[in-house]
Amino acid sequence: MDLTVNPRSLLQGEVQVPGDKSISHRAIILGALSEGKTYIHGFLEAKDCFATLQAMCQLGVVIDKLSPGSYCVQGVGLHGFTPSHSPINCGNSGTSMRLLAGVLAGLPFESHLIGDNSLQNRPMERIVRPLQKMGATLYGQERNEKICAPLHIIGNSHLQGIEYTLPVASAQVKSCLLLAGLFSNNKTILIENGASRDHTERMMHAFGAYIDIERNKITLFPSSLKARELNIPGDISSAAFFIAGAAMIPDSHVILRSVGVNPRRIGIIHILRMMGAQIDILNQREICGEPVGDIEVKGGKLSGITIPTEWVVSAIDEFPVIFVAALAASGKTLIHGLDELRLKETDRIQVMAKGLKALGADIEEDEDGVLIQGSLLKGGVVESEGDHRVAMAFAMASLIANDSIIIRDCDNIATSFPNFCTLAQHLGLTIYQHAEG
Ligand code: S3P
């Protein structure tokens, strides 16, 4: 499916974005691992989270849909899973594959995790090595000198807790090891060099796990989990397209209701504010251990900046649209420390730079970053290469383009934000879907 987006001069209105993707995956997994029934509301009904939900069903967990976004997970505890008769397909979802690997490492049977082409090219040694240290047996495929999916996991119900310093700031790796740590016979200690999102730690605590956090050191003791009710806030990574789109265009005014504003996810707000954006978080409250608020954005003129590298981790999924905001700003924006961006669903530095250049942007790529000179864009055809966030970021580029943009290969928007086009239209974009070509 392709998208065409017509040029548009501002965004206005109020919307509620769908549930947080990271929290939705964790809700299903921790619900399945706990004893009793976990009720989840605001679950993200998108392909990535359905891959995790389907995986749990294949492992013998009963999950009932109660109403749109509301599910009941009948937890089986740590020891009630049964082997899947067929490989577990994680599709495009790195979070599904890395988190499920942590669970499967501790289950006393063999499992196979498979994924689409994009997922098969993403690095898995970052979970394979530490899980092996914990006593699990895992095999991947060697591809371009990396260990990649498919993964063959021979679980071990007597895993050893380890003390491990994470070589990259990755919530997926951290969560994988914490999940494996639940099955270990002693404590697991993880040391982070960078504050990656902490939804797993918060949710494990809410489910009654013995987890202790002291600055950058997390200690998890073998624990059993108790089912509970969860309300999932809106996903700031989905809201980000409209936050950036509104912030960069004078006279825009957008309110996004009930969005998760976890301090480890709001890098985009810090970055846009530093560029001069007017963004307020209203009605701040805490729901199920996660900070939530309404985000109000009033558009204005942005200025180029050097983005402090300490904000990179908390804005890691937002860089495609931050590149677009940098084009709307006056002057130069310099970003470094983006190595991890090359390892996402696509190499997001390369795919964004190529597409934006096709629209006339002045953008220079280097190994771990970009230099972007503010400029208006022309219309044209851009390739998202099947990357959902790249596709949605290109849609926002229509706000500074003088002609229509055609975005190729947009089906994967359904992995994280199925009603993106409807909400974008509600805020004023003229955006329509059509068959490829
Ligand atoms: C995620 C963590 C991040 C992020 C991804 C979701 C998660 O990946 O990019 O979209 O839910 O834990 P890394 O942990 O690999 O940085």
Side-chain angles (χ1 to χ4, degrees):
M1 181 261 290
D2 291 350
L3 285 178
T4 294
V5 199
N6 291 345
R8 165 77 191 166
S9 53
L10 62 139
L11 287 183
Q12 267 176 344
E14 202 175 304
V15 288
Q16 180 147 11
V17 295
D20 187 279
K21 180 156 79 72
S22 294
I23 300 178
S24 295
H25 286 291
R26 289 155 171 82
I28 292 287
I29 295 174
L30 292 188
L33 287 164
S34 66
E35 279 146 28
K37 290 184 180 174
T38 285
Y39 290 89
I40 304 172
H41 310 288
F43 176 73
L44 173 62
E45 295 183 309
K47 278 190 180 170
D48 276 13
C49 300
F50 282 139
T52 294
L53 187 151
Q54 171 63 24
M56 286 302 157
C57 296
Q58 281 179 241
L59 294 165
V61 181
V62 175
I63 303 177
D64 298 309
K65 179 167 178 163
L66 307 175
S67 60
S70 289
Y71 290 78
C72 172
V73 182
Q74 299 188 26
V76 295
L78 295 179
H79 306 292
F81 292 89
T82 51
S84 170
H85 299 301
S86 52
I88 292 171
N89 191 347
C90 300
N92 191 243
S93 174
T95 309
S96 304
M97 185 165 283
R98 297 197 177 111
L99 270 56
L100 289 170
V103 175
L104 296 171
L107 298 180
F109 49 74
E110 291 187 34
S111 306
H112 293 268
L113 290 174
I114 60 173
D116 70 6
N117 279 340
S118 152
L119 187 50
Q120 285 188 34
N121 281 298
R122 297 181 66 185
M124 291 297 152
E125 65 268 18
R126 53 182 60 196
I127 55 163
V128 167
R129 299 284 179 234
L131 286 175
Q132 284 171 337
K133 280 190 196 201
M134 294 177 86
T137 306
L138 282 88
Y139 304 99
Q141 299 285 313
E142 217 182 294
R143 203 168 290 120
N144 304 327
E145 291 168 37
K146 293 182 295 192
I147 300 175
C148 296
L151 296 178
H152 176 194
I153 302 173
I154 303 169
N156 172 359
S157 48
H158 302 286
L159 293 177
Q160 300 287 322
I162 48 170
E163 176 162 345
Y164 187 69
T165 300
L166 294 153
V168 278
S170 163
Q172 293 181 354
V173 176
K174 173 174 65 176
S175 304
C176 167
L177 302 180
L178 288 174
L179 288 164
L182 288 174
F183 296 92
S184 303
N185 51 15
N186 47 359
K187 64 187 176 189
T188 298
I189 300 175
L190 301 179
I191 295 148
E192 287 198 277
N193 290 317
S196 70
R197 62 194 70 188
D198 60 357
H199 305 303
T200 304
E201 299 91 299
R202 286 172 186 257
M203 203 183 285
M204 279 188 171
H205 176 75
F207 274 84
Y210 294 103
I211 184 162
D212 184 54
I213 295 152
E214 209 185 294
R215 278 177 294 143
N216 63 342
K217 182 173 163 193
I218 305 161
T219 307
L220 174 73
F221 298 88
S223 306
S224 55
L225 306 178
K226 289 270 167 301
R228 55 160 300 160
E229 186 153 11
L230 291 171
N231 285 293
I232 298 178
D235 196 329
I236 189 156
S237 295
S238 297
F241 299 102
F242 305 136
I243 297 174
M248 69 194 200
I249 305 294
D251 297 326
S252 289
H253 184 201
V254 160
I255 298 180
L256 300 143
R257 295 278 176 211
S258 300
V259 181
V261 287
N262 181 312
R264 295 183 179 207
R265 295 286 299 279
I266 56 171
I268 178 141
I269 295 182
H270 294 306
I271 290 167
L272 290 171
R273 279 182 180 155
M274 192 175 173
M275 295 173 86
Q278 201 185 326
I279 304 175
D280 291 305
I281 303 176
L282 314 171
N283 304 321
Q284 275 220 49
R285 53 217 185 259
E286 194 164 299
I287 299 178
C288 303
E290 288 283 350
V292 179
D294 301 333
I295 300 178
E296 180 176 34
V297 188
K298 291 185 183 146
K301 289 225 164 296
L302 302 183
S303 307
I305 56 167
T306 296
I307 295 182
T309 46
E310 69 259 30
W311 286 341
V312 166
V313 178
S314 60
I316 192 66
D317 290 340
E318 283 61 83
F319 281 99
V321 80
I322 290 171
F323 289 5
V324 175
L327 282 169
S330 59
K332 287 187 165 73
T333 295
L334 180 63
I335 321 174
H336 276 297
L338 298 182
D339 327 57
E340 282 291 304
L341 221 58
R342 293 199 184 276
L343 305 172
K344 296 294 176 188
E345 285 80 334
T346 59
D347 174 343
R348 285 183 173 157
I349 299 183
Q350 193 233 313
V351 178
M352 283 303 299
K354 192 171 159 208
L356 293 173
K357 273 186 192 160
L359 301 175
D362 181 351
I363 168 165
E364 272 170 46
E365 190 186 326
D366 69 25
E367 205 152 305
D368 74 335
V370 285
L371 175 64
I372 299 173
Q373 174 72 55
S375 53
L376 288 180
L377 301 178
K378 54 184 185 166
V381 180
V382 289
E383 303 289 339
S384 76
E385 300 193 13
D387 186 322
H388 56 135
R389 298 201 199 282
V390 168
M392 292 184 274
F394 285 147
M396 291 300 127
S398 64
L399 289 161
I400 48 166
N402 64 13
D403 206 347
S404 300
I405 300 176
I406 296 170
I407 311 162
R408 299 267 189 236
D409 202 359
C410 294
D411 292 279
N412 277 340
I413 289 177
T415 61
S416 68
F417 197 169
N419 62 342
F420 169 73
C421 290
T422 310
L423 297 190
Q425 261 163 358
H426 181 82
L427 295 177
L429 281 194
T430 307
I431 180 166
Y432 47 94
Q433 305 181 1
H434 43 94
E436 280 170 36

